[in-house]
Amino acid sequence: MIHPVLLASAFFTIFWTPTIAFNFDSACGSIASQAASIENTTIFFADIVPAGTMLTFPDQDPSCGFPGSSQEVLVDMCRVALNVSTSDRSGITMEAWLPRNWTGRFLSTGNGGLDGCIQYVDLAYTTAQGFATVGANNGHNGTSGRLFFNNSDVLADFVYRSIHTNVVVGKEITRMFYGTPHKHSYYLGCSTGGRQGFKMVQDFPDDFDGVVAGSPAINWNNLMSWSARFHNILGNATSPTFVTSEEWLGLIHENILEQCDIIDGVADGIIEDPNLCDYKPEVLICGSSGNLSDCLTPTQAGSVRQVFSPMFDTHGRLMYPRQQPGSENAALVGLIYSPDVFPFSQDWFHFVVFDPSFDVETLDLSDYQIAEDLNPFNIATFNGNLSSFQSRGGKVITYHGQADELIAPTDTEFYYHHVARTMGLPPSEIDEFLRFFRISGMSHCETGPGAWEIGQTLSGASGNLTPETLDPERNVLTAVVRWVEEGIAPDTILGTKFVNDTTELGVAFSRRHCRYPFRNNFDGTGDSTLPDSWSCKLD
Ligand SMILES: *[C@@H]1O[C@H](CO)[C@@H](O)[C@H](O)[C@H]1NC(C)=O
Ligand SMILES: *[C@@H]1O[C@H](CO)[C@@H](O)[C@H](O)[C@H]1NC(C)=O
Ligand SMILES: *[C@@H]1O[C@H](CO)[C@@H](O)[C@H](O)[C@H]1NC(C)=O
Ligand SMILES: *[C@@H]1O[C@H](CO)[C@@H](O)[C@H](O)[C@H]1NC(C)=O
Ligand SMILES: *[C@@H]1O[C@H](CO)[C@@H](O)[C@H](O)[C@H]1NC(C)=O
Ligand SMILES: *[C@@H]1O[C@H](CO)[C@@H](O)[C@H](O)[C@H]1NC(C)=O
Ligand SMILES: *[C@@H]1O[C@H](CO)[C@@H](O)[C@H](O)[C@H]1NC(C)=O
Ligand SMILES: *[C@@H]1O[C@H](CO)[C@@H](O)[C@H](O)[C@H]1NC(C)=O
Ligand SMILES: *[C@@H]1O[C@H](CO)[C@@H](O)[C@H](O)[C@H]1NC(C)=O
């Protein structure tokens, strides 16, 4: 057997060799005037940026986290910034990062939440791997949905047009810059970025050959309602139905682990398949002689049960599956189970479904039905017919943290089942173009108690590109590249957990995540921190 590290390094040093002499410096010097000829574009600048440069982003909307934040550029590249109009009242701002060492591959990054923010860290990550990379602002700046109001063109950019436009323009800039078209086209995104990836697979199947769509915000309309519904269930901080963050984390989470952690064979704080967890919050109801500081009232137990129950529409159809027990975590619990309506849902109902004067405290099931029926530009992104993408040889890797508290991982299963029924394919045949990896113990897109480093971002590659972190056995991006270019599909993705998420402290454990519908089970013998002690099984 060839050593996987050697295999990975062989794979990634095959850089494109130009047939005619390619002068990087002069290409960067002339790209601005060349690209100005692309319809509807205004080029802001094109600069050579040497490896090691710390870029800052003074023009970014402060809500994006800039300025104050910066991004180190990992390889020499030509940075091109431009805008593209998409209608007479909308447009995108985008960047193309063109590395000196080009692999012939093109890649688009995505966005998050309702933003509005170029994800510079993803541009740095993929440029460093030799992709000519683009990223856009999704048609508006900042994290608010305010600009969707009364401007369906800005909304159209958010739903699909920003990504598609930045791909069309980005491929053209790439061709102009290197003097030859790209050989393969890829996408990398998570959350809203995961939805954007699926939107292109569904509606623009020619845009990408390979897509990594993480924790996808698909079934979008109902996701906005589901996130708002937690406030319907929990009420405000003085409601008898309310459950505090301390109760979720210290009491309920611990009780969920007591009931469900051992199902996979190891009590390690990670529930491999939360579908098997039939959590019973009623065991926490305060007894007659109970200690009132470590138990729930019957009303609170009812809230917890509702949180972990699916959401049905006014016709009795499943709108959105249940929250998964075990997903409670300190970073997100106060946001999703807050005394206020979830912020993205507030913006969605204020600026898209209704208007800014609408009182989100009154949201109810009939409003959620209105939102589902409205479905602007089919933002639901739930089309189960992927045959156009499949028939041109496209490949999708989707992954979802099983402890994601913001977007239920069960929703990706819901979609997977929908694809299976729509296309009439069992999992063994879906495997030919779509593989879904359930990442146990991963929170929203990254972090969490599980082996969450799977190369999905720069931090998911330990912030460090090495033959090991780029090994397609453990990196979802290089895995999709290998699948597209060599026909080798990933059966599992090896995840790594570092001690305190600090690479220097060493590996705490690693685990091979199974593709759906397989689930991971401890073999019962051996060291549970080692991947070989676990097996992917169907039951
Ligand atoms: C370009 O890639 C080659 C092969 O990986 C490497 O040896 C070289 O250092 C790279 N050059 C730059 C400027 O990044
Ligand atoms: C977004 O910000 C960019 C600068 O990064 C600016 O050029 C552009 O005009 C802004 N777009 C909108 C819609 O405000
Ligand atoms: C692009 O930038 C130019 C120059 O700043 C500006 O005039 C134009 O309105 C911008 N277009 C869009 C769609 O933002
Ligand atoms: C340029 O923008 C106009 C609207 O402003 C649009 O109708 C047209 O399709 C755009 N052209 C391209 C190539 O996108
Ligand atoms: C919506 O936009 C139209 C023009 O496009 C304008 O006449 C109207 O006043 C706007 N409504 C609000 C509430 O801003
Ligand atoms: C909190 O909810 C209770 C009902 O559960 C209601 O009576 C009260 O007015 C609410 N308080 C606020 C500030 O919304
Ligand atoms: C009640 O539970 C809390 C938290 O577990 C503990 O600190 C406290 O000592 C308990 N009180 C009694 C009277 O048992
Ligand atoms: C799926 O889409 C393709 C291409 O648009 C179409 O030919 C086919 O009939 C569709 N299949 C189903 C089951 O709707
Ligand atoms: C890991 O983090 C915890 C909490 O921050 C700390 O108590 C512990 O000492 C850290 N462990 C190591 C090995 O640094």
Side-chain angles (χ1 to χ4, degrees):
M1 190 192 131
I2 305 170
H3 192 272
V5 171
L6 293 177
L7 198 64
S9 64
F11 182 57
F12 282 96
T13 47
I14 306 168
F15 276 81
W16 169 77
T17 332
T19 41
I20 22 162
F22 167 68
N23 185 317
F24 175 76
D25 292 12
S26 69
C28 198
S30 60
I31 189 65
S33 57
Q34 280 180 280
S37 67
I38 302 173
E39 203 181 339
N40 293 338
T41 62
T42 302
I43 310 297
F44 298 151
F45 59 81
D47 291 340
I48 291 176
V49 184
T53 302
M54 195 61 83
L55 287 178
T56 56
F57 308 99
D59 293 340
Q60 285 294 299
D61 189 282
S63 65
C64 289
F66 308 103
S69 137
S70 55
Q71 179 59 51
E72 185 184 4
V73 172
L74 303 173
V75 291
D76 290 0
M77 59 104 172
C78 178
R79 180 186 181 202
V80 186
L82 63 152
N83 73 15
V84 190
S85 65
T86 52
S87 76
D88 58 8
R89 55 173 189 167
S90 63
I92 63 169
T93 300
M94 63 174 277
E95 296 197 15
W97 287 18
L98 306 162
R100 186 188 291 271
N101 271 353
W102 188 42
T103 54
R105 299 182 184 122
F106 171 84
L107 183 142
S108 175
T109 59
N111 304 92
L114 298 179
D115 71 46
C117 302
I118 293 176
Q119 299 202 345
Y120 288 105
V121 63
D122 290 344
L123 283 130
Y125 177 49
T126 53
T127 307
Q129 295 177 55
F131 294 90
T133 301
V134 292
N137 77 335
N138 221 359
H140 66 286
N141 292 333
T143 55
S144 162
R146 187 170 299 277
L147 291 176
F148 301 150
F149 181 61
N150 210 15
N151 190 333
S152 58
D153 278 301
V154 173
L155 184 58
D157 288 348
F158 177 75
V159 176
Y160 69 94
R161 206 164 46 187
S162 176
I163 292 289
H164 179 62
T165 303
N166 104 126
V167 166
V168 171
V169 172
K171 286 178 176 176
E172 184 63 8
I173 291 175
T174 300
R175 186 192 61 75
M176 288 172 166
F177 186 79
Y178 296 104
T180 180
H182 68 276
K183 293 196 176 64
H184 296 283
S185 170
Y186 295 96
Y187 177 81
L188 178 70
C190 194
S191 194
T192 278
R195 187 194 65 74
Q196 291 168 313
F198 270 114
K199 191 67 180 167
M200 298 301 107
V201 168
Q202 293 169 11
D203 292 359
F204 298 93
D206 293 331
D207 278 6
F208 301 114
D209 303 310
V211 166
V212 178
S215 316
I218 52 177
N219 192 12
W220 170 273
N221 305 290
N222 295 340
L223 170 62
M224 290 299 104
S225 298
W226 179 77
S227 314
R229 170 178 168 261
F230 294 120
H231 182 62
N232 295 116
I233 296 170
L234 297 168
N236 58 46
T238 57
S239 313
T241 42
F242 195 71
V243 178
T244 65
S245 291
E246 292 69 31
E247 288 166 333
W248 281 113
L249 295 170
L251 184 60
I252 298 162
H253 182 72
E254 294 309 314
N255 188 241
I256 289 168
L257 291 182
E258 274 171 39
Q259 293 190 30
C260 297
D261 191 4
I262 197 66
I263 294 170
D264 54 39
V266 180
D268 56 358
I270 299 159
I271 301 172
E272 282 294 321
D273 186 353
N275 286 335
L276 301 181
C277 180
D278 179 18
Y279 177 57
K280 296 174 181 63
E282 290 77 13
V283 306
L284 286 176
I285 291 173
C286 308
S288 44
S289 60
N291 178 344
L292 290 179
S293 65
D294 60 3
C295 57
L296 299 177
T297 67
T299 304
Q300 287 181 305
S303 300
V304 175
R305 185 165 278 283
Q306 265 189 287
V307 162
F308 295 133
S309 300
M311 179 180 185
F312 296 95
D313 71 10
T314 56
H315 308 293
R317 290 184 300 236
L318 179 64
M319 282 187 111
Y320 203 87
R322 71 169 188 167
Q323 180 69 289
Q324 285 294 41
S327 57
E328 312 69 38
N329 75 81
L332 298 173
V333 73
L335 178 67
I336 190 92
Y337 305 145
S338 100
D340 299 309
V341 177
F342 187 69
F344 297 164
S345 307
Q346 290 200 31
D347 276 18
W348 191 251
F349 282 94
H350 277 149
F351 304 127
V352 179
V353 182
F354 299 120
D355 62 68
S357 68
F358 179 80
D359 178 6
V360 291
E361 287 290 325
T362 68
L363 277 169
D364 64 16
L365 199 52
S366 64
D367 301 313
Y368 301 152
Q369 187 71 59
I370 290 167
E372 182 177 22
D373 295 343
L374 184 66
N375 188 23
F377 305 104
N378 195 9
I379 192 174
T381 315
F382 217 70
N383 180 355
N385 183 357
L386 306 183
S387 64
S388 300
F389 186 74
Q390 176 199 18
S391 60
R392 65 176 294 275
K395 310 295 180 195
V396 192
I397 290 178
T398 185
Y399 63 86
H400 209 135
Q402 296 301 293
D404 185 345
E405 204 173 9
L406 288 190
I407 299 180
T410 39
D411 193 54
T412 302
E413 294 177 26
F414 183 30
Y415 179 65
Y416 187 96
H417 302 153
H418 179 62
V419 170
R421 290 191 306 268
T422 306
M423 299 182 72
L425 298 176
S428 58
E429 290 177 41
I430 294 177
D431 268 355
E432 285 165 24
F433 61 94
L434 166 65
R435 292 188 176 211
F436 167 32
F437 294 91
R438 295 191 290 172
I439 313 301
S440 58
M442 183 168 85
S443 183
H444 187 59
C445 294
E446 50 183 23
T447 75
W452 63 268
E453 290 203 11
I454 53 168
Q456 70 274 49
T457 55
L458 185 57
S459 58
S462 289
N464 191 13
L465 276 61
T466 65
E468 189 173 33
T469 61
L470 294 175
D471 178 357
E473 297 295 322
R474 62 170 76 213
N475 182 306
V476 283
L477 179 56
T478 62
V480 87
V481 168
R482 187 169 68 164
W483 193 6
V484 166
E485 296 181 15
E486 299 175 33
I488 302 171
D491 287 337
T492 58
I493 296 290
L494 179 62
T496 307
K497 174 70 177 179
F498 288 93
V499 176
N500 279 9
D501 288 336
T502 307
T503 314
E504 295 71 39
L505 295 178
V507 174
F509 63 96
S510 52
R511 196 164 293 176
R512 273 185 217 99
H513 301 294
C514 307
R515 73 186 184 282
Y516 193 76
F518 291 94
R519 69 164 63 93
N520 223 353
N521 269 291
F522 181 52
D523 292 339
T525 55
D527 181 348
S528 68
T529 67
L530 300 177
D532 285 346
S533 305
W534 295 75
S535 303
C536 296
K537 293 186 172 151
L538 281 174
D539 49 23

